[in-house]
Amino acid sequence: MNETFKGKFPHIKLTLSKIRSLKREICSVGEESSLQPVTIAMAFVYFEKLVLQGRLNKQSRKLVATACLLLAAKISSNLKKQEVKQLIDNRHFYERTWVSALVTCGVKDWQKPVHIWS
């Protein structure tokens, strides 16, 4: 299946299995963060558009998936500043996306960010 996908989309640097795994992770984190299904679907669309444009690679995939989920939450759920802060502070969201993504991108000695909304 991965070979067929690679044949149809040679410019995409991720395997179909990895893309599906990332989408499962977006869904899981979204559900654990009590996001609406429409918000999770919007995150899928953003993520798939970036994948199809060939803008993702192994190092940036988790960070981009996180950004897609945050953007979808902000736009489709009409979240206020405090609610976005709570989403980022959510233990599941924080541990499963930001930390692993930043470590993958090579950020060393990373600490929880100070929020600009405070």
Side-chain angles (χ1 to χ4, degrees), residues 22 58-67 96-97 100-101 104:
L22 288 165
K58 187 174 180 179
Q59 291 75 29
S60 67
R61 67 187 191 269
K62 289 185 179 181
L63 190 58
V64 171
T66 301
R96 293 174 63 186
T97 56
S100 61
T104 301

Side-chain angles (χ1 to χ4, degrees), residues 80-96:
K80 306 292 185 250
K81 288 191 247 183
Q82 186 62 29
E83 293 167 323
V84 173
K85 181 182 181 297
Q86 288 173 353
L87 175 62
I88 294 171
D89 286 341
N90 178 301
R91 182 179 62 85
H92 298 293
F93 187 86
Y94 175 74
E95 289 176 356
R96 293 174 63 186

Side-chain angles (χ1 to χ4, degrees), residues 17-93:
S17 300
K18 183 48 72 179
I19 293 168
R20 288 180 174 173
S21 171
L22 288 165
K23 287 174 68 176
R24 277 192 302 273
E25 191 70 15
I26 289 171
C27 186
S28 176
V29 171
E31 288 172 351
E32 290 170 2
S33 301
S34 301
L35 294 177
Q36 298 173 352
V38 69
T39 303
I40 296 169
M42 188 179 281
F44 281 178
V45 170
Y46 294 152
F47 184 73
E48 288 171 354
K49 284 187 176 204
L50 291 169
V51 167
L52 288 173
Q53 291 175 5
R55 304 213 178 219
L56 284 129
N57 57 37
K58 187 174 180 179
Q59 291 75 29
S60 67
R61 67 187 191 269
K62 289 185 179 181
L63 190 58
V64 171
T66 301
C68 290
L69 189 58
L70 268 176
L71 182 62
K74 180 64 179 160
I75 292 173
S76 72
S77 298
N78 293 323
L79 297 178
K80 306 292 185 250
K81 288 191 247 183
Q82 186 62 29
E83 293 167 323
V84 173
K85 181 182 181 297
Q86 288 173 353
L87 175 62
I88 294 171
D89 286 341
N90 178 301
R91 182 179 62 85
H92 298 293
F93 187 86

Side-chain angles (χ1 to χ4, degrees), residues 100-118:
S100 61
L102 289 169
V103 168
T104 301
C105 289
V107 177
K108 295 181 170 72
D109 300 325
W110 183 78
Q111 296 178 359
K112 191 173 178 180
V114 176
H115 297 287
I116 59 172
W117 304 290
S118 300

